[in-house]
Structure formats: structure tokens, C-alpha cells
Amino acid sequence: NWQEEYALRDFTGEGRTKPKEHIPKKWGDLENPIVHNKVFDNSHARIHGEKQYQTFDTFNHTYGAARNPVDSMPKIGRRDEILERNIRKQVAQQIMETEQEKERLRNARCFDTTSKTFYKPLD
């Protein structure tokens, strides 16, 4: 199982694929990994050379920056613009009329006074 192999390599510092050395026994302390100063041959580096990590980046920085002349054209025609403008004017006129009616009702004066006939006798 690859997960067990990774866990074994993390814990001991080497995997099962190194048959040339015996893993020393540890009596008692099973929580800490084995620490040793042995140096092993790196076959990949010996054959292919040391790994050189490179950041991959594109040389073209204009991806997605294209300009389409159609984008600058209007999305709706003149007829639709005129209809929408008229509808906006009508809506604004109606809103103004309702606001004026509310203001007129707010400023209306009412002089109803209470009198003796307004109160009913309590039983």
C-alpha cells in the first residue's frame, strides 16, 4: 500500500526498497523517528544530474486581452432606447405625482375638536 510506504519512509527516514541495510531495532521509544547520519547514493542525481526546479511561466502575457470591435456597438436599437426613455419619463411623472399627493395630505390642516358628545359615559 502506497500510504503505508509513505508512512514508513516518513517515520524511519527510508523505505522498504533499500535492502542493503538492516533497520536497527529500537527498544522502548516508538514515537520518534530513527535518526542516523548515513548518506546514501542518489541514483537519479548520479544518472540524470541534480534536479533543477523551474517555475513554468508563459512568454505571452496577452492571453484574454483581445479587443472585439463589436463590444463597442450599442446593445439595443434606437427604437428600444426611445421606448425605454418614454417609460422612464412616465414612471418619474407618476412618482412625482404620488409624492406631491403625499405632501399635500401631510400639509392639510384639520380642525376637528373634541366636545362633550365625543365622550361616552362609562358604566
Side-chain angles (χ1 to χ4, degrees):
N1 187 335
W2 62 269
Q3 188 174 12
E4 292 174 358
E5 294 290 332
Y6 278 135
L8 180 66
R9 187 172 297 277
D10 287 342
F11 186 71
T12 61
E14 56 194 33
R16 295 178 196 212
T17 58
K18 300 243 184 202
K20 60 184 173 182
E21 181 188 355
H22 175 69
I23 299 175
K25 290 183 180 179
K26 290 176 41 171
W27 301 99
D29 188 15
L30 298 176
E31 296 298 322
N32 296 322
I34 298 170
V35 179
H36 56 76
N37 57 358
K38 298 176 184 164
V39 178
F40 294 99
D41 181 30
N42 189 350
S43 298
H44 186 274
R46 181 171 39 87
I47 296 169
H48 301 288
E50 292 293 327
K51 287 185 181 180
Q52 295 178 356
Y53 297 100
Q54 298 177 0
T55 57
F56 294 101
D57 192 17
T58 180
F59 293 110
N60 189 352
H61 298 286
T62 59
Y63 288 141
R67 300 286 183 253
N68 192 349
V70 177
D71 292 337
S72 63
M73 293 177 66
K75 305 292 187 251
I76 59 174
R78 289 185 182 176
R79 178 177 168 264
D80 292 336
E81 285 181 6
I82 293 169
L83 288 175
E84 286 183 11
R85 192 179 316 128
N86 289 339
I87 290 171
R88 283 192 194 107
K89 284 181 183 178
Q90 289 174 358
V91 168
Q93 180 67 25
Q94 289 176 357
I95 290 173
M96 188 176 67
E97 289 173 0
T98 54
E99 290 294 325
Q100 286 176 353
E101 182 65 23
K102 286 179 185 176
E103 187 66 26
R104 188 186 63 78
L105 290 174
R106 206 174 10 248
N107 290 333
R109 294 181 178 226
C110 181
F111 293 107
D112 287 341
T113 58
T114 56
S115 63
K116 185 175 160 181
T117 59
F118 181 74
Y119 297 103
K120 296 180 181 173
L122 299 174
D123 290 334

